[in-house]
Amino acid sequence: MSERHAVQMRGITKRYPRALANDRVDLDVEEGEIHAIVGENGAGKSTIMKVLYGLTPPDGGEILLWGRELSGHRPADAIREGVGMVHQHFMLVDTLTVAENVVLGAEPVRGCCLFDAAASRERVRQLSSEYGLSLDPDELIENLSVGLEQRVEIVKVLYRGAKILILDEPTGVLTPQEVRELFVILRALRDAGRTIIFITHKLEEVLELADRITVMRDGRVAGVVSAAATTKEELARIMVGRDVLLRVTKEQARLGEPVLQVSRLSAVGRKGSHVLEGIDLEVRSGEVLGVAGVQGNGQTELVEVITGLRKASAGSVTVSGRETTNRSPRQVRDLGVAHIPEDRQARGLVLGFTMAENLVLGRHHREPFSSRGLLSLGDIRTHAERLIEEHDLRPRDPDVDAGHLSGGNQQKLIVAREFDGGPALLVASQPTRGVDIGAIEFVHTSLLKMRDQGAAILLISAELTEIMTLSDRIAVMYGGKIVAEFEGGRVGEEELGVAMTGGAGPTARGSVSSDGAPGSRHATGAR
Amino acid sequence: MNRFARLSQLLSPLVAVAAAFLVGGLVVTAIGENPFRIYAILFRGAFGSIDAIGLVLFNAVPLIFAGLAVAFAFRAGLFNIGGEGQLYVGAFVCTLAGLALGGLPAVLLIPLLILASAAGGAVWAAVPGLLKARFGVHEVINTIMMNFIAVGLTSYFIINMLREPGQMTPQTSEIALAGHLPRLAGPLSRIGIPLPQANPLNFSLVLALAAVWLAWYILYRTNLGYEIRAVGMNSQAAEYAGINVRRTIVLAMLLSGAFAGLVATNEVMGFRHRFLDNFSSGLGFMGIAVALLGKNTPLGVLLAALLFGVLNTGALEVDIFTDVPRELILVLQAITIILVVVGNEVFARRAAAREGRAAGVPLPATEPSREA
Ligand SMILES: Nc1ncnc2c1ncn2[C@@H]1O[C@H](COP(=O)(O)OP(=O)(O)OP(=O)(O)O)[C@@H](O)[C@H]1O
Ligand SMILES: [Mg+2]
């Protein structure tokens, strides 16, 4: 590793109206290293990266790239100097091919003005094989798995000549297998001399991948450590300022009456094929049923049908003995069903609403938040203040727009809202996506507390450890069906992983067509 | 929203207005007139006397209603381009009721006619609302079509069936006297403001101010307003929250149309006391500009409508006392609108850059704000 600094950020300060996001932050990244940034939600990680990439001008401080001061604070300036950002919300055009997406905006030209398709394909193929990305330049984006889409984003950045790659929480949406593959790619990039900065909340990943780690806390740098010389516990302590329970313990479930009963449920997708086929499920009061599976195998649709957001084509759903098949989301909610949606920005929040307004979303029409058609602003505010306090949402100001919260705090806001009010059934999709370790601990203990108080919980997560720690039973979805069911605590990660891919191979996306009969040999306990 | 953004929200229309006057001045100079003299005449025309100020307010009233209609729908994420048609239907229904219910006393007839105006506009707006909610047809197309239908139909009825007997002018007879809204000259002079008796300013001004308050109250203090704003900002999240998106769209359109229909309280109940064919000549469309300039907030609409009232009233004076054509005022208004839209975009981008997010705001108030 050379001693040259690829990035030197000196005394960066960035003030938002209600938060000091970066307070005299110094960040040194050496050329050719993988540098991780960790810290609690709202610590200022995304902000410092936005400053580096030129998305937001700092209020003070300077940025040096390879020892030279960066002139200008726009993405164009940063890109010119070799900085690239792999976006978290992928910005790809679904109907174009991989190659077309990669060159979009900087297309190779033949003659005076003709798009050189052959050259783009060639360039993508070359970059792809150089770093082991295995991308087919001619494949349409809409046919790719999330993991592959992310690789397209990486190639896009490389194509534009990035020598420094920024990845803000790249692993949040990936399966464990995809994460491993991403790490292989990132190491290859480093070994080829590129510099990588990545943000994550998963400390195992940090220790496995990073060379050095900058820990942030409350907008400041709390420490810089070498990955070889630290442990998960130490990192957590620097981040949070106290010891963190890295694993929650749970009691034996005390099962009650069935709350959610799903029988022979099917649903049809846009293209007329079955996205759900004959699903049978039961979740009892006092029980956590985990649903494991590679994204895109019907979990989203299952949740949507249960919560009234999508129509079933056959079968039935009952909640606490009442038929709810194809009822409206409000009717389902009013039976005591809470729902943490998988995509917080698309469904879970109105970004232009304040925290207070968002914290009553879904219950705004009920007492005490409104009566006789009028909002009770006082009650809405008190409610917000209480949840902000209980769930440690930051900033502690009910009047801040949800769009101005850090990613993890947006997620925590939704969790706070849906946990509140004692639901009979909680449907939780990726409940801890993007939240820090302290908050994960809190979410997990609260979830188990809810279970012990008699709630039925349907947990959908791409995070196998999360599924395995919390679930009393685990169902595996593949190709729109439940292909296996296990007792919680009696199954290993390997076994689950195999069931999740239908035995077809690590990165396959499950077929969702009606004739695709996925690997039923793993159907140990499917009902 | 931070202080900078808040400030720019306030400043950008002002800067735009100033810039518009500057550009307008250049145009005036180009046609060989002295801009200072012209502007002096314009402002004398608008503020030179109590009478003039009364006229400014009178001209502003229909624009307040028309602007509220656009702004209200916008909060639900809908572009109601149909204010023109809705106000014609509102005025038509109001006139019919005013002609038919002559026997009622004023205390009954006036509220009834106000309701009739609102109902007429609401029904006309509900059609595109329903088509949008039921079939997903874009409301812009249908509100425009409904404009043509409204203008054509009212014209047909007035000319062929309801024309005042023995008159060539395409207009109805006068509505019942009990349905006339009183002018403000009387009450105002009693409290020491000498508004001339001939000044057309009437009680619909009070209704317009009440409508501004009502629009704000519905949007920010009621359940329905919460749902309207949720649907307008993120309909997927609204659906998730159990809000009936289709119903909310229809209700928002209904209310928006009701605001447009209330233009009749000034035009029919307060001023002409009858339906004159083609009386509006684009009030509904001016409403779009008013809403835009007012950033789609109720208070902003009020201020923008007043500015347009000033320009319209001053234009008359310029027309009478100079050789500058009155059309120039239209040019000035158009320039103002263009500069506001452009200026707003520039401000929005700068604020966005400071906050570290992507800009590209299609219209002023897609950036939601909670101020009235
Ligand atoms: N556009 C904005 N307007 C106002 N405040 C903001 C804005 N963006 C971020 N903030 C504030 O700045 C602080 C730091 O946010 P940042 O997004 O950098 O956190 P983070 O470390 O990335 O957190 P997370 O792990 O939750 O993603 C937070 O308090 C946040 O509320
Ligand atoms: Mg972040």
Side-chain angles (χ1 to χ4, degrees):
Chain A
M1 193 185 308
S2 97
E3 280 302 297
R4 279 183 72 200
H5 281 118
V7 178
Q8 286 166 288
M9 299 179 86
R10 292 266 161 273
I12 300 290
T13 295
K14 174 70 197 177
R15 185 182 300 280
Y16 287 116
R18 289 177 167 98
L20 186 54
N22 286 159
D23 183 8
R24 287 159 292 161
V25 170
D26 294 332
L27 179 69
D28 287 329
V29 182
E30 284 162 22
E31 183 168 32
E33 77 167 336
I34 297 183
H35 194 104
I37 303 179
V38 299
E40 287 183 284
N41 295 131
K45 307 179 295 295
S46 296
T47 304
I48 190 79
M49 287 302 107
K50 283 188 206 160
V51 168
L52 176 60
Y53 189 59
L55 282 171
T56 182
D59 298 317
E62 54 176 8
I63 304 172
L64 286 83
L65 297 178
W66 288 282
R68 271 181 300 127
E69 185 153 358
L70 178 65
S71 58
H73 286 300
R74 287 168 170 280
D77 306 309
I79 291 169
R80 187 164 8 87
E81 300 296 328
V83 181
M85 169 111 66
V86 178
H87 290 285
Q88 202 175 356
H89 291 154
F90 305 137
M91 305 182 182
L92 300 172
V93 185
D94 265 2
T95 50
L96 294 183
T97 65
V98 168
E100 286 163 343
N101 264 283
V102 167
V103 300
L104 200 66
E107 300 87 355
V109 178
R110 198 155 41 99
C112 84
C113 38
L114 291 174
F115 171 54
D116 192 344
S120 358
R121 272 203 296 276
E122 192 39 46
R123 190 81 187 96
V124 170
R125 193 167 294 130
Q126 192 188 330
L127 282 170
S128 165
S129 65
E130 195 174 338
Y131 300 107
L133 294 166
S134 2
L135 281 175
D136 174 3
D138 294 320
E139 188 62 81
L140 291 178
I141 296 294
E142 58 186 7
N143 297 334
L144 297 185
S145 66
V146 183
L148 289 175
E149 283 185 32
Q150 185 175 56
R151 293 186 197 178
V152 179
E153 285 285 354
I154 294 177
V155 176
K156 239 168 100 175
V157 167
L158 293 175
Y159 173 78
R160 281 163 182 71
K163 285 174 283 185
I164 301 167
L165 278 77
I166 303 171
L167 298 99
D168 192 346
E169 298 188 32
T171 57
V173 290
L174 303 182
T175 60
Q177 179 60 32
E178 287 173 326
V179 171
R180 276 194 288 279
E181 289 167 6
L182 173 68
F183 285 6
V184 171
I185 294 165
L186 293 181
R187 286 201 192 95
L189 285 166
R190 174 193 57 193
D191 295 343
R194 316 237 180 192
T195 307
I196 290 161
I197 308 177
F198 84 109
I199 299 177
T200 183
H201 288 294
K202 295 172 192 157
L203 300 182
E204 317 81 69
E205 292 179 356
V206 173
L207 294 177
E208 186 191 332
L209 185 67
D211 298 306
R212 292 193 312 137
I213 304 157
T214 294
V215 185
M216 292 188 69
R217 194 162 128 205
D218 287 335
R220 304 210 186 145
V221 173
V224 181
V225 291
S226 142
T230 188
T231 61
K232 251 168 95 167
E233 288 71 21
E234 188 193 14
L235 276 180
R237 203 172 321 115
I238 309 177
M239 266 170 69
V240 186
R242 64 173 167 90
D243 284 321
V244 180
L245 246 101
L246 291 169
R247 239 179 211 295
V248 296
T249 48
K250 76 177 200 294
E251 319 257 299
Q252 186 65 36
R254 288 187 308 273
L255 297 190
E257 293 293 301
V259 177
L260 175 69
Q261 288 168 299
V262 172
S263 111
R264 305 238 165 94
L265 189 69
S266 295
V268 178
R270 251 189 312 149
K271 291 171 188 157
S273 60
H274 276 83
V275 286
L276 291 179
E277 238 191 307
I279 302 269
D280 287 309
L281 279 181
E282 184 178 278
V283 192
R284 293 166 167 265
S285 156
E287 175 185 46
V288 178
L289 174 66
V291 175
V294 176
Q295 202 172 11
N297 278 284
Q299 302 95 315
T300 309
E301 289 81 6
L302 175 63
V303 167
E304 285 179 348
V305 172
I306 292 174
T307 54
L309 291 164
R310 176 190 282 267
K311 293 266 175 280
S313 59
S316 76
V317 181
T318 52
V319 174
S320 311
R322 296 236 220 125
E323 170 95 27
T324 61
T325 325
N326 295 342
R327 292 293 161 80
S328 74
R330 178 160 290 177
Q331 286 170 317
V332 176
R333 265 182 182 278
D334 287 349
L335 283 173
V337 178
H339 172 199
I340 298 170
E342 63 176 2
D343 187 332
R344 56 181 172 243
Q345 300 208 342
R347 277 234 193 257
L349 293 169
V350 178
L351 292 178
F353 269 0
T354 61
M355 290 175 87
E357 286 171 318
N358 271 297
L359 280 167
V360 295
L361 193 68
R363 285 199 281 152
H364 59 277
H365 62 294
R366 276 190 256 156
E367 298 271 2
F369 307 123
S370 62
S371 62
R372 276 180 261 111
L374 298 184
L375 297 174
S376 317
L377 295 184
D379 289 298
I380 292 175
R381 202 185 166 81
T382 326
H383 172 77
E385 280 164 354
R386 180 172 61 80
L387 290 184
I388 286 172
E389 181 66 38
E390 279 176 20
H391 287 256
D392 190 22
L393 305 180
R394 294 179 210 178
R396 303 178 160 255
D397 180 349
D399 296 328
V400 174
D401 283 357
H404 291 170
L405 300 183
S406 77
N409 276 297
Q410 292 179 344
Q411 183 70 26
K412 284 165 69 179
L413 187 157
I414 296 173
V415 169
R417 179 182 71 209
E418 300 302 315
F419 275 17
D420 190 59
L425 170 69
L426 171 67
V427 181
S429 271
Q430 324 293 347
T432 55
R433 183 176 278 176
V435 310
D436 64 45
I437 47 164
I440 289 177
E441 173 195 340
F442 179 78
V443 171
H444 284 178
T445 26
S446 320
L447 209 125
L448 290 174
K449 207 191 305 166
M450 282 173 72
R451 178 198 77 162
D452 293 339
Q453 287 164 358
I457 294 166
L458 182 67
L459 171 72
I460 297 91
S461 179
E463 202 77 48
L464 281 189
T465 27
E466 180 163 80
I467 291 271
M468 293 196 300
T469 356
L470 298 175
S471 308
D472 301 307
R473 282 185 300 127
I474 300 170
V476 180
M477 280 192 84
Y478 180 74
K481 296 181 181 172
I482 291 186
V483 294
E485 203 175 305
F486 302 97
E487 284 298 311
R490 297 242 185 98
V491 58
E493 193 159 328
E494 282 307 312
E495 202 180 342
L496 266 184
V498 172
M500 279 166 60
T501 49
T507 50
R509 176 184 258 191
S511 150
V512 287
S513 68
S514 47
D515 52 0
S520 47
R521 66 196 165 90
H522 298 284
T524 52
R527 285 186 273 176
Chain B
M1 197 186 305
N2 68 25
R3 222 180 308 132
F4 177 83
R6 223 179 268 275
L7 199 67
S8 67
Q9 281 262 343
L10 280 175
L11 274 182
S12 66
L14 293 183
V15 172
V17 170
F21 274 102
L22 198 77
V23 176
L26 292 179
V27 176
V28 173
T29 316
I31 62 167
E33 282 277 357
N34 176 353
F36 294 101
R37 193 176 81 90
I38 301 297
Y39 280 132
I41 293 173
L42 190 144
F43 283 107
R44 193 184 70 211
F47 298 111
S49 64
I50 303 263
D51 194 24
I53 295 173
L55 275 175
V56 167
L57 295 176
F58 171 75
N59 281 322
V61 166
L63 295 176
I64 295 175
F65 288 122
L68 284 179
V70 177
F72 197 87
F74 191 88
R75 287 289 163 202
L78 300 164
F79 286 100
N80 180 7
I81 312 293
E84 186 79 353
Q86 291 146 24
L87 71 87
Y88 271 116
V89 175
F92 190 70
V93 175
C94 173
T95 308
L96 287 186
L99 291 170
L101 303 172
L104 294 180
V107 279
L108 280 183
L109 191 56
I110 287 181
L112 260 177
L113 294 190
I114 294 173
L115 283 181
S117 312
V123 167
W124 214 246
V127 175
L130 284 167
L131 290 174
K132 164 104 176 181
R134 187 71 191 83
F135 303 109
V137 194
H138 203 287
E139 70 279 6
V140 166
I141 302 165
N142 290 318
T143 46
I144 292 176
M145 292 307 129
M146 293 297 281
N147 283 343
F148 290 126
I149 298 174
V151 175
L153 277 185
T154 51
S155 205
Y156 172 82
F157 282 121
I158 303 305
I159 293 171
N160 295 304
M161 295 157 108
L162 294 162
R163 195 196 304 231
E164 189 176 13
Q167 288 283 334
M168 280 313 290
T169 330
Q171 62 179 30
T172 64
S173 315
E174 259 202 16
I175 62 169
L177 189 64
H180 293 193
L181 276 181
R183 296 200 165 181
L184 285 181
L188 283 180
S189 42
R190 240 171 284 138
I191 59 166
I193 302 172
L195 187 68
Q197 292 300 319
N199 193 290
L201 185 63
N202 57 71
F203 261 101
S204 64
L205 173 67
V206 180
L207 295 177
L209 296 177
V212 169
W213 175 82
L214 186 68
W216 170 84
Y217 189 82
I218 293 175
L219 283 174
Y220 298 101
R221 288 291 179 272
T222 69
N223 218 321
L224 176 64
Y226 179 97
E227 301 198 340
I228 285 176
R229 288 182 296 130
V231 169
M233 286 190 272
N234 184 349
S235 64
Q236 278 209 45
E239 186 192 13
Y240 154 85
I243 295 168
N244 186 334
V245 175
R246 296 174 172 196
R247 176 176 158 268
T248 309
I249 285 176
V250 175
L251 283 177
M253 273 309 267
L254 265 174
L255 287 167
S256 163
F259 284 119
L262 286 174
V263 167
T265 58
N266 189 53
E267 301 299 308
V268 176
M269 296 173 71
F271 178 49
R272 287 199 179 85
H273 305 138
R274 61 175 97 237
F275 192 110
L276 170 69
D277 189 28
N278 275 320
F279 71 86
S280 162
S281 62
L283 283 172
F285 298 111
M286 287 307 286
I288 301 169
V290 169
L292 222 56
L293 185 61
K295 310 229 152 177
N296 292 300
T297 68
L299 193 63
V301 163
L302 174 63
L303 296 176
L306 288 173
L307 175 72
F308 280 89
V310 167
L311 293 177
N312 286 341
T313 312
L316 283 175
E317 194 89 349
V318 174
D319 193 28
I320 295 166
F321 290 100
T322 71
D323 296 332
V324 177
R326 201 165 140 201
E327 284 70 32
L328 192 64
I329 300 298
L330 288 178
V331 173
L332 194 64
Q333 287 181 344
I335 293 172
T336 313
I337 296 162
I338 291 170
L339 285 170
V340 168
V341 177
V342 173
N344 188 76
E345 184 70 7
V346 172
F347 268 103
R349 274 176 201 217
R350 271 217 247 146
R354 280 182 63 93
E355 289 188 19
R357 58 184 164 75
V361 201
L363 276 169
T366 39
E367 170 74 356
S369 73
R370 257 158 309 286
E371 300 84 37

